[in-house]
Amino acid sequence: MDSWLQILVLVACIMPAVVVEGSVRNYTFNVIMKNTTRLCSSKPIMTVNGRFPGPTLYAREDDTVLVRVANRVKYNVTIHWHGIRQLRTGWADGPAYITQCPIQPGQSYVYNFTITGQRGTLLWHAHILWLRATLHGAIVILPKHGVPYPFPKPHKEVVVVLGEWWKSDTEAVINEAIKSGLGPNVSDAHTINGHPGPISNCPSQGGFTLPVESGKSYMLRIINAALNEELFFKIAGHQLTVVEVDATYIKPFKTDTIMIAPGQTTNALVSANQNSGKYLVAVSPFMDSPIAVDNMTATATLHYSGTLAATSTTLTKTPPQNATAVANNFINSLRSLNSKRYPAKVPLTVDHSLLFTVGLGINPCPSCKAGNGSRVVASMNNVTFVMPTTALLQAHFFNISGVFTSDFPGNPPTVFNYTGTPPSNLRTTTGTKVYRLQYNSTVQLVLQDTGILTLENHPIHLHGFNFFAVGKGLGNYNPKTDQKNFNLLDPVERNTIGVPSGGWVAIRFRADNPGVWFMHCHLEIHTTWGLKMAFLVDNGKGPNESLLPPPSDLPKC
């Protein structure tokens, strides 16, 4: 009997550990400074574990994730798990002063959440000040064990994080802009996995290399972690088959150019089906308004195995900066997979029909000398959001009065020709206002661009939910005619959506997640200027439809 026991113990020792569904994944994120050189100049940057971009967080659908974030820098820090639903766990969502007080220097906090009904690529990033410029990384959620992708399995998967790089300290950049009342300096370069690629005035600057083998296919998990810029992504000589956006499967389609806004993710298959060689990967800005952007193209190399280093690289032409048609061609191709396994559960009835204008304004600022006594602000429904000093979720849960009001307007307080001649009064109102929703109610929200200072594309991110993009158009939204053209069958499901320059987009979602959920422009400068608000979703019936109590280590303000 003893010998049988020994054999069983031996077998147990050599067998690989079986990971059961709903495993617990533990991560430690140490936020530390690291001296980093790009563009032939060095500066200390904030990193997680000394890495830029930060480490990729891997998990499976149904896993519980515990991330201990230890703050070892001089700034207050929070981390947002962008696109994670956070069902009933708003305390782990991460936006500073919305769901938590920040983690103060020398302190730590454990973000604890379960990934329910999600699989795909998302991102994590700091959600306070402009720290996400370098504090960001990928989230890769694998399907449950034994569940295949709804497309051919690639030979390899590669995370591709797009970003921006300033030679200056980014906190100094935004502080100077706030002081002046004007816009910030644009970045000095775009990056692909932290590298701009070789540029003329810094030829020694290396770039990211993607090694491939002839005949194999690869899935690129592309993430736009840039602060302020929508980006085009291309690979010379290769088509991309797009299979997923914002961690939701879509009907696959082929394209040579991807358009991706800050906060968005795109999974694309690329086949190494060209002649062996080196092919340029190019990332360039998309901006179809008269607004300054960083016009530097970031480059990387798709490198076939066996290709000599001295081989010349096959180049590609980037789209013009204002290539609206190229961007629209990509956006209009996106459709939910809507299969039996992955249905598009679009709300067909609407409890709350909302219209929010988004845009800029000008408010008085006596100290803003560069702005001649005025400052640029941003708003939704003409409300410039004022950040509280107590987190909204705590104020809601503990019934703390005086932190926020529940009177965010469901429609524009003043009706005007939103995309035409602006009104004479460019001022906004200010306040810390939320819009209240009953648990499980359905929402249709039309986001309408305005031309008060300039028409502009705004990528709007909603925390705590995915939504369906049921319609979009140019000019002013017309409820009588535009709603007839809504796609309620297979609209794309996302967490971040571009409001087109001089147009509108309509989204629908079900308020099935109790808590306080931030919604804001993912162009960081617009968030700073006040283009943000929050939805307060009441508890439903019983504990399974109610917000969990806060963890004991929740940071204090």
Side-chain angles (χ1 to χ4, degrees):
M1 196 66 182
D2 285 352
S3 60
W4 274 110
L5 193 59
Q6 285 172 329
I7 290 168
L8 284 171
V9 169
L10 183 65
V11 168
C13 288
I14 60 174
M15 285 283 284
V18 176
V19 181
V20 295
E21 294 297 344
S23 296
V24 176
R25 310 258 177 173
N26 284 285
Y27 285 88
T28 299
F29 278 19
N30 289 310
V31 179
I32 57 173
M33 301 303 292
K34 183 167 188 209
N35 221 37
T36 307
T37 302
R38 295 289 184 274
L39 308 177
C40 289
S41 76
S42 299
K43 68 170 183 175
I45 64 167
M46 252 165 288
T47 68
V48 164
N49 302 347
R51 294 166 62 182
F52 169 67
T56 297
L57 191 154
Y58 287 93
R60 277 193 192 276
E61 182 179 348
D62 285 347
D63 282 355
T64 294
V65 178
L66 299 171
V67 189
R68 182 178 178 272
V69 176
N71 181 3
R72 312 207 187 286
V73 298
K74 67 179 182 181
Y75 292 101
N76 286 344
V77 167
T78 70
I79 303 288
H80 170 50
W81 318 94
H82 182 117
I84 298 283
R85 286 289 318 270
Q86 298 289 3
L87 291 165
R88 301 171 52 234
T89 54
W91 309 106
D93 190 40
Y97 301 107
I98 305 299
T99 59
Q100 68 167 97
C101 300
I103 307 164
Q104 295 177 22
Q107 302 297 308
S108 65
Y109 176 47
V110 176
Y111 290 90
N112 180 348
F113 53 89
T114 299
I115 298 165
T116 306
Q118 292 184 277
R119 78 295 307 162
T121 306
L122 294 169
L123 68 152
W124 59 263
H125 61 76
H127 212 305
I128 185 169
L129 307 172
W130 275 29
L131 305 191
R132 75 175 179 86
T134 57
L135 277 181
H136 60 248
I139 300 174
V140 171
I141 308 166
L142 300 168
K144 294 179 190 180
H145 280 286
V147 177
Y149 293 134
F151 46 81
K153 188 173 190 279
H155 170 61
K156 270 189 181 162
E157 301 180 8
V158 183
V159 168
V160 180
V161 181
L162 313 180
E164 288 180 88
W165 182 266
W166 277 260
K167 286 184 179 180
S168 307
D169 171 19
T170 44
E171 288 311 302
V173 170
I174 183 54
N175 289 342
E176 179 55 37
I178 291 168
K179 189 176 156 190
S180 72
L182 302 175
N185 290 339
V186 299
S187 54
D188 296 295
H190 296 107
T191 56
I192 302 172
N193 281 347
H195 297 280
I199 58 171
S200 56
N201 59 356
C202 183
S204 64
Q205 177 79 56
F208 174 68
T209 298
L210 172 59
V212 298
E213 292 176 47
S214 249
K216 300 280 174 73
S217 76
Y218 297 80
M219 182 160 78
L220 308 182
R221 295 179 176 269
I222 306 164
I223 296 164
N224 186 346
L227 278 189
N228 294 312
E229 303 204 347
E230 300 183 286
L231 298 167
F232 289 122
F233 178 94
K234 287 185 80 170
I235 302 177
H238 291 74
Q239 287 268 297
L240 298 157
T241 302
V242 183
V243 293
E244 175 202 300
V245 294
D246 291 6
T248 62
Y249 294 133
I250 62 166
K251 292 181 173 72
F253 69 93
K254 285 187 163 58
T255 183
D256 66 356
T257 307
I258 284 168
M259 199 287 288
I260 184 165
Q264 292 183 335
T265 62
T266 302
N267 283 10
L269 301 172
V270 59
S271 293
N273 57 8
Q274 299 300 304
N275 294 331
S276 279
K278 297 193 301 187
Y279 294 83
L280 192 76
V281 180
V283 169
S284 59
F286 166 56
M287 171 56 79
D288 57 357
S289 300
I291 291 169
V293 292
D294 172 359
N295 61 8
M296 297 294 291
T297 297
T299 59
T301 308
L302 185 82
H303 192 122
Y304 279 73
S305 61
T307 302
L308 297 173
T311 307
S312 62
T313 302
T314 303
L315 304 179
T316 185
K317 195 175 179 201
T318 57
Q321 184 179 299
N322 63 350
T324 309
V326 176
N328 280 339
N329 184 49
F330 178 80
I331 294 164
N332 295 339
S333 302
L334 299 170
R335 290 279 186 280
S336 278
L337 186 60
N338 195 26
S339 64
K340 201 167 184 181
R341 180 162 202 137
Y342 305 105
K345 296 179 180 173
V346 188
L348 299 178
T349 58
V350 172
D351 298 319
H352 298 263
S353 186
L354 310 175
L355 174 67
F356 290 2
T357 56
V358 295
L360 307 181
I362 294 179
N363 282 355
C365 172
S367 65
C368 297
K369 292 189 172 55
N372 289 328
S374 298
R375 76 157 64 252
V376 179
V377 294
S379 69
M380 302 182 94
N381 271 354
N382 209 48
V383 179
T384 295
F385 189 87
V386 176
M387 291 299 275
T389 52
T390 299
L392 298 185
L393 191 59
Q394 280 166 292
H396 163 57
F397 188 85
F398 293 110
N399 288 316
I400 303 167
S401 62
V403 177
F404 66 85
T405 57
S406 305
D407 57 348
F408 187 88
N411 286 281
T414 307
V415 176
F416 61 99
N417 181 2
Y418 306 122
T419 55
T421 307
S424 54
N425 182 3
L426 306 182
R427 287 192 187 187
T428 66
T429 60
T430 57
T432 309
K433 298 172 185 284
V434 304
Y435 188 92
R436 199 163 200 136
L437 296 168
Q438 300 76 38
Y439 181 84
N440 223 30
S441 60
T442 55
V443 181
Q444 176 176 295
L445 169 58
V446 176
L447 294 159
Q448 171 73 59
D449 185 31
T450 58
I452 288 180
L453 287 188
T454 179
L455 298 167
E456 188 175 353
N457 190 310
H458 297 274
I460 302 293
H461 172 49
L462 174 60
H463 290 229
F465 300 94
N466 280 351
F467 50 73
F468 293 95
V470 295
K472 75 191 246 299
L474 287 176
N476 300 337
Y477 173 69
N478 183 327
K480 291 196 175 82
T481 55
D482 289 328
Q483 200 155 323
K484 293 173 187 168
N485 301 317
F486 281 3
N487 173 12
L488 302 179
L489 180 67
D490 63 351
V492 69
E493 185 179 352
R494 307 206 71 144
N495 62 57
T496 305
I497 188 85
V499 180
S501 183
W504 55 270
V505 67
I507 64 172
R508 286 189 182 185
F509 66 96
R510 182 177 293 279
D512 58 358
N513 195 4
V516 177
W517 304 106
F518 208 21
M519 187 171 76
H520 59 94
C521 183
H522 221 275
L523 303 179
E524 205 60 33
I525 184 57
H526 290 176
T527 303
T528 303
W529 283 342
L531 208 164
K532 46 196 172 184
M533 59 80 66
F535 286 104
L536 191 163
V537 180
D538 288 318
N539 285 338
K541 292 174 184 164
N544 290 341
E545 295 181 359
S546 299
L547 176 67
L548 288 164
S552 58
D553 64 338
L554 187 73
K556 293 178 171 56
C557 285

